[in-house]
Amino acid sequence: YKIYDTTWDGIEYHQETILAIVDNGWKPLIQELTPQNTDQGLTIWVEHYAKGSEIISATIYAVFHKIETAKAINLLFILSSLFLSFDILYRKLKLSIIHSFSISLVVAFNPISLSQMLTFCVDGVVASLVIIFICTSFYLIKNLKKQYLLVLISTICILVNIKFTAILYAVIGCISILLFLFVRKHTYKDIRNLAFVMMASGLI
């Protein structure tokens, strides 16, 4: 935990949001920021930007009481994308273990996720979630099982709350899945139900 974040965004308002929530008792859903909660020069970013990543990080920080541990969210999502992509390559596409692991390693530890793994910036988390979304889409296209739907719901809920541009990624991804299911001649009922699940997840 002695590798420090040197990014402006990471230190100035992502980390500041975490500290405001845990150390200063700020409740984002019901309170406005005050001088006691955070530096007033950072209010516009801390108060108005999406806080999905910071709330998860704040939970980790509240447990371990070391601010650097809050960066664990980056590694958790990288590992999730690693295991999901490996499963698809090895079990579904029948590649060898070495090829599957090599490709999934490159996919999960992509330049964005890798460069931001030890920072509080959120683009790496978004990159990992997009990979998870794509992997989940692959499962759903093959089979509309409930467990895959639960992963999709969780991914959409987290993704749209990480960064506002991630909403666009989620919308494009959802439309792509629905179009693919339509082309594959899935039933109207399946497509309608999946569209409803996606819309509900986005609203949540």
Side-chain angles (χ1 to χ4, degrees):
Y1 59 83
K2 292 186 178 180
I3 300 174
Y4 299 105
D5 184 357
T6 57
T7 62
W8 189 91
D9 286 6
I11 293 171
E12 291 299 323
Y13 70 90
H14 291 303
Q15 180 178 272
E16 185 66 26
T17 304
I18 297 166
L19 293 171
I21 292 169
V22 179
D23 290 349
N24 300 329
W26 178 47
K27 298 175 180 63
L29 291 176
I30 59 173
Q31 290 179 335
E32 289 187 19
L33 277 175
T34 65
Q36 289 74 37
N37 294 132
T38 193
D39 181 340
Q40 288 304 287
L42 301 172
T43 299
I44 189 170
W45 293 287
V46 173
E47 188 163 35
H48 299 291
Y49 277 20
K51 286 176 270 297
S53 176
E54 290 84 352
I55 289 171
I56 298 170
S57 296
T59 305
I60 298 169
Y61 172 45
V63 172
F64 294 101
H65 306 292
K66 292 186 183 295
I67 189 63
E68 295 299 310
T69 61
K71 296 174 186 173
I73 182 178
N74 300 319
L75 188 57
L76 290 172
F77 282 118
I78 287 173
L79 290 176
S80 298
S81 62
L82 174 71
F83 294 138
L84 277 171
S85 54
F86 175 81
D87 182 68
I88 287 171
L89 293 168
Y90 181 63
R91 288 204 310 125
K92 304 294 183 184
L93 299 182
K94 306 299 182 184
L95 298 183
S96 68
I97 290 179
I98 293 173
H99 284 121
S100 299
F101 185 72
S102 301
I103 295 169
S104 57
L105 200 65
V106 171
V107 168
F109 288 90
N110 60 77
I112 302 168
S113 297
L114 189 61
S115 65
Q116 294 194 353
M117 188 170 67
L118 299 174
T119 74
F120 287 106
C121 292
V122 298
D123 298 292
V125 175
V126 170
S128 294
L129 283 165
V130 167
I131 294 165
I132 293 167
F133 187 97
I134 292 168
C135 292
T136 308
S137 302
F138 183 88
Y139 288 121
L140 282 169
I141 287 165
K142 296 289 184 182
N143 196 326
L144 293 172
K145 287 185 178 179
K146 287 182 181 178
Q147 58 263 41
Y148 303 149
L149 284 173
L150 287 173
V151 177
L152 182 72
I153 291 166
S154 302
T155 304
I156 292 172
C157 286
I158 297 170
L159 184 61
V160 300
N161 282 288
I162 297 288
K163 192 173 185 178
F164 293 133
T165 50
I167 297 171
L168 179 62
Y169 304 151
V171 169
I172 292 171
C174 290
I175 291 171
S176 300
I177 295 174
L178 295 173
L179 286 173
F180 199 88
L181 290 177
F182 178 77
V183 170
R184 290 284 295 268
K185 302 191 185 308
H186 277 253
T187 65
Y188 168 74
K189 183 180 178 182
D190 283 345
I191 296 171
R192 184 198 63 196
N193 290 344
L194 184 58
F196 175 78
V197 168
M198 288 172 169
M199 289 173 62
S201 303
L203 289 171
I204 291 169

